Amino acid sequence: MSDIIRQQAPVILAEIKKANNILLHCHPHSDPDSVGSALAMKFAVEQLGKKATVIRGDNEIPEAFEFPGVEAIIKKSYGEIDPKEFDLFIILDSSTPNMVSFKTPVIFPESMKTIVIDHHVNNAKYGSINCVDPSYPATAQILFDLFKEMGIKLNHDIALNLFMGIYTDTGGFKYAAVTSATFAAASELVSFAPDFAQTISAMENSNTKEKFAFISLALSSLKTYFSDKLAITYVSKKQFDDYKLDGEEYSPSEISSLLRTVKNFDISICLIESVDGKARMSSRSKDSIKFNVSKLAVALGGGGHKNAAGATIDLPLSEAIEKVVKTAEELYNF
Ligand code: 5GP
Ligand code: MN
């Protein structure tokens, strides 16, 4: 339990107790840490007798996320709701206001307090209250500690949502940010949710043949730079159209994670061109000291972690690729 969590827990509890109508969201192209944390927080505030609404955010929640409570998520993004109806917005796993929505400017009305709870190193601390601790591998693990301090009782549904967030953001307990506290949290969560393996299987064994068409398109564009230290792949909008694939359904992180497994590639990147002509970039590295990719993502207007970071670049695909290569050359000692 970190000092930050211990200090912020009573402050956050007091704000929840004061609130009448609480908003929660999932970040663009949400991942299990975002969705699981939002749903666990919904159940937690309900335990405190409060009403909470979870909005889906910019994109569909993948069908493969069979998390308890997922059916209650409202299919709207921040620009499609009236934030004035809420007096508290608990913003989870989102380092910048962009991660609330890319579709519309994110403005918080004065009548709505904001609490930011996050583990991203570059978090802009843009809330009225900020509970940010980058030493945690997942926002869900912050919530595990926070709930203990707040007196929230674990149950199956809270536990399974938190477990899925921790499991995914640690790459299945493999990343360097995993500590004995992570395993201790997972162990306690699994005692409440012994059916965790079913939910992991539903999530991980959900590939389609179209997904493999996307993977093969991305891999066929592989180009390496700086003696193979930097690997870049891309899929253009035209390629998505030619192969009748919906680009919004696929994540460049599938590809950057796959390329990271190549021994010589220090930085692996995939860019995909979205319908609005912007390039979604995902980057991965193995050595977070020599090749901290959050620096690259921040330089390109995004954010993330040392080993896994991303950005949305507002340039045509070929120019975005050039910019990524040039920025990486400036930042790293290849
Ligand atoms: P992924 O490559 O898995 O999509 O993202 C890796 C990490 O980078 C995640 O923690 C995600 O939140 C962060 N990230 C990805 N895209 C963006 C972005 O456009 N802006 C910011 N601030 N963070 C991003
Ligand atoms: Mn996270």
Side-chain angles (χ1 to χ4, degrees), residues 27 31 93 95-96 99 102 120 122 251 253 281-284 301-305 308-312:
H27 67 54
D31 57 25
D93 200 43
S95 59
T96 56
M99 295 303 274
F102 277 109
H120 288 92
N122 63 304
S251 167
S253 61
M281 188 278 290
S282 169
S283 55
R284 295 287 185 269
H305 307 287
T312 299

Side-chain angles (χ1 to χ4, degrees), residues 167 170-178 183 260:
Y167 170 80
T170 58
F173 304 99
K174 322 191 259 265
Y175 297 158
V178 171
F183 284 107
R260 173 163 57 187

Side-chain angles (χ1 to χ4, degrees), residues 312-331:
T312 299
I313 307 169
D314 197 359
L315 284 175
L317 188 60
S318 57
E319 288 175 42
I321 294 169
E322 268 177 45
K323 189 166 179 187
V324 169
V325 176
K326 197 164 165 283
T327 310
E329 187 174 19
E330 284 161 11
L331 283 173

